[in-house]
Amino acid sequence: MALTSAVANAAAAAAAAGAGKKAAQVQLQAELNTDDEWNKFINRDGLLVIDVYTEWCGPCIGMVGNLKKIKVELGGDNLHLAIAKSDTIECLKRFRKRSEPTWMFIAAGQLLNVVFGADAPRLARTIEQELQNEELARKGERERPKRAPHELTPPEQEVAEAKEKLQQERRAREEAAVEAARIMRRETRACRLETHFADVCPALVMPHAQKHLRKITDALEPHGVILADKCPILLGKDGVRVLGVEELELATEAAISAIAERPSLALLLKKTPEKDGDVIELCRRALYGDGVKTGDGEPNKKVPAEELRAESTPGVYVPADRHQRAAVLDLLFPKMVSSLVEPGPPPTAPHIALMFGAWQRRALLAVCDTSRLLHYGFFADASLTEPKLLAKNIEQYELRPEKDFSETIVLMIAVGLAAPELADPKDIPPQGPPEQLLALGPLHVSEDAVVGAEECAKFFPPGYSEPEPKPKQKPKKKKKFSLQTKRHETKEDLTEESNAQSQSIETGEPGESEAAVEGDNDGDAEVEGDVEGEGEVEEDGEDGEEQQAVDKATSPPPPAPH
């Protein structure tokens, strides 16, 4: 019993020693997961070296040994190590999207330095230098920088400014591309409508000015413009928004409230055949006084547009150019225009291309916002210059008998609106690719919407979304038999059959029909045996295939051999 007790005591002592050693190792590097733990730790004395990490990219394990060695040899009690999770600490939110190791140096609650990357010699030199600076600061021979941990260091500020400059350049390119596309659409539409409405100009009389219609027509008549048609129209908020893009005075809150809920009067003005000049210029000259010069000493006469104005709301609106005329014709007289000119194709929103491994297809389509997904498709590899299409949707792709790790899925994602000026601000999507897609690790993301349009044009050419034509089945050719031929063949068949039966009776041999029946029975027996044998072989083959078959597009590719 004494021996047993001694052994037990020795084991307990060894366990206690091991636990104490483990506890010392744990205390060597603190673990910070909350704001309270963070605030408590950064107020400690000495130099603090903190490894900042994210949940999807953990702390730098390879540097732990070096840091502990540095602490024992150089820092002692003046150096404290910790790892901090940026996902749950508000002060570290600027590091949440970084995947490279990040080291923060803090003393007396002030941020001294930030080092990025797993460069062990550089990190050791920085720790040694900051320890010396902290020692001088304690003696009062050096002043610590006044910088809170959430503020940027000068190198970080330079990087942030460079990134912001690149972002501004990208936004400028994207805005220029959107504006160029808008102008092209307006020019195309104006040219198409000019072939039918060259001598026509629309106008809109606001609700408060409709009683002065006669004044408007009297002002137009001397300029060779007549009223061809008129109709009341309730524009609503969407219609007023379109007018506000064409005329800024109609985009004010007073104009919107005056026009959106009360019917206005749409006018169709037409130039008389004997009058020369552009109908838009004639209407603007008559109602706005555009291009009219007044002589010296002559009093300025009020034009109808000024007379009909009610405070900040204009009483009448006439397009100022051919682009505005096309837009207002589509808005005020859609039936008349559509009967002569087909509506143009809907504009495409600015977009980018995101490429993933095809094995991620189900997760991608589950988290992707369908309102921003314009197109998607499956391709043979990750080529951006010569993509080879495999399937246009997931249903077609699942029908493929064989799949490979190299196959990819490309998403065409909208990063804005084609006509943001017509949209409600709350409906405008955030800039850049969706975060939930970036979290899945794309193989490629377009640099910006300009580059994205070029790349998507290769993956999704015009007509990509149109249904594929089904192949026509060839009609079967029917044999034509005349009644006389059919009777002749029937007689010959009956004659041959009767001769064969009589011959078999004389010789005692079975006829053709009996032999055929027996042959058929024998053949059936052989076929049954063959089918049974084949069935066994097929089952063995299927079992072997099930053991070897692996869907290479439902799991990530295997790691490369070392």
Side-chain angles (χ1 to χ4, degrees), residues 11 15 21 42 84 208 233 310 330 334 363 378 392 410 424-425 442 469 481 499:
K21 185 176 180 181
I42 64 174
H208 69 272
I233 183 172
D330 284 330
F378 294 87
K392 292 184 177 181
V410 178
D424 195 307
F481 295 98
N499 294 335

Side-chain angles (χ1 to χ4, degrees), residues 265-471:
L265 189 64
L267 307 180
L268 191 64
L269 308 177
K270 187 175 182 180
K271 183 183 71 171
T272 56
E274 63 273 7
K275 187 67 178 179
D276 296 331
D278 183 72
V279 64
I280 299 176
E281 295 178 358
L282 295 175
C283 293
R284 298 280 301 186
R285 187 178 304 161
L287 299 179
Y288 290 84
D290 293 355
V292 178
K293 296 181 180 180
T294 58
D296 295 337
E298 294 184 6
N300 293 331
K301 295 182 179 180
K302 277 192 174 182
V303 294
E306 294 180 0
E307 293 181 2
L308 300 179
R309 178 182 294 274
E311 297 180 354
S312 61
T313 304
V316 64
Y317 165 69
V318 176
D321 54 43
R322 47 200 288 272
H323 291 170
Q324 291 188 10
R325 173 175 64 181
V328 176
L329 277 172
D330 284 330
L331 176 65
L332 302 182
F333 301 97
K335 291 184 179 180
M336 179 188 70
V337 174
S338 61
S339 65
L340 298 174
V341 182
E342 293 183 358
T348 304
H351 49 271
I352 59 174
L354 283 85
M355 179 183 290
F356 298 83
W359 61 273
Q360 297 174 285
R361 59 192 181 277
R362 293 168 187 165
L364 288 168
L365 298 179
V367 302
C368 185
D369 184 0
T370 55
S371 63
R372 299 182 64 179
L373 179 60
L374 305 180
H375 295 301
Y376 77 95
F378 294 87
F379 298 85
D381 50 35
S383 174
L384 298 175
T385 55
E386 297 180 357
K388 182 180 178 182
L389 180 66
L390 299 179
K392 292 184 177 181
N393 53 57
I394 193 170
E395 290 79 12
Q396 293 180 0
Y397 185 75
E398 297 293 358
L399 294 176
R400 289 177 53 82
E402 296 181 0
K403 301 177 178 67
D404 195 80
F405 292 128
S406 62
E407 295 171 355
T408 58
I409 177 174
V410 178
L411 309 180
M412 179 175 171
I413 299 294
V415 291
L417 298 176
E421 67 278 0
L422 300 179
D424 195 307
K426 64 181 181 180
D427 296 333
I428 298 178
Q431 295 182 349
E435 293 293 336
Q436 61 269 27
L437 294 181
L438 293 179
L440 295 177
L443 302 175
H444 171 76
V445 180
S446 300
E447 181 180 351
D448 52 42
V450 178
V451 177
E454 298 174 357
E455 293 177 347
C456 289
K458 298 177 182 178
F459 288 103
F460 312 103
Y464 178 85
S465 58
E466 296 179 1
E468 297 179 357
K470 296 181 179 180

Side-chain angles (χ1 to χ4, degrees), residues 62-78:
M63 298 292 291
V64 173
N66 293 331
L67 289 173
K68 290 181 179 180
K69 183 178 180 181
I70 293 173
K71 175 177 172 58
V72 173
E73 295 179 356
L74 298 177
D77 294 336
N78 293 328

Side-chain angles (χ1 to χ4, degrees), residues 102-136:
T102 303
W103 312 91
M104 297 182 72
F105 295 80
I106 297 176
Q110 303 298 315
L111 179 62
L112 307 178
N113 202 344
V114 177
V115 175
F116 298 101
D119 188 346
R122 180 190 174 196
L123 188 61
R125 290 194 303 268
T126 306
I127 292 175
E128 186 176 358
Q129 181 64 44
E130 294 297 344
L131 281 172
Q132 295 175 2
N133 294 340
E134 179 60 17
E135 187 67 25
L136 294 175

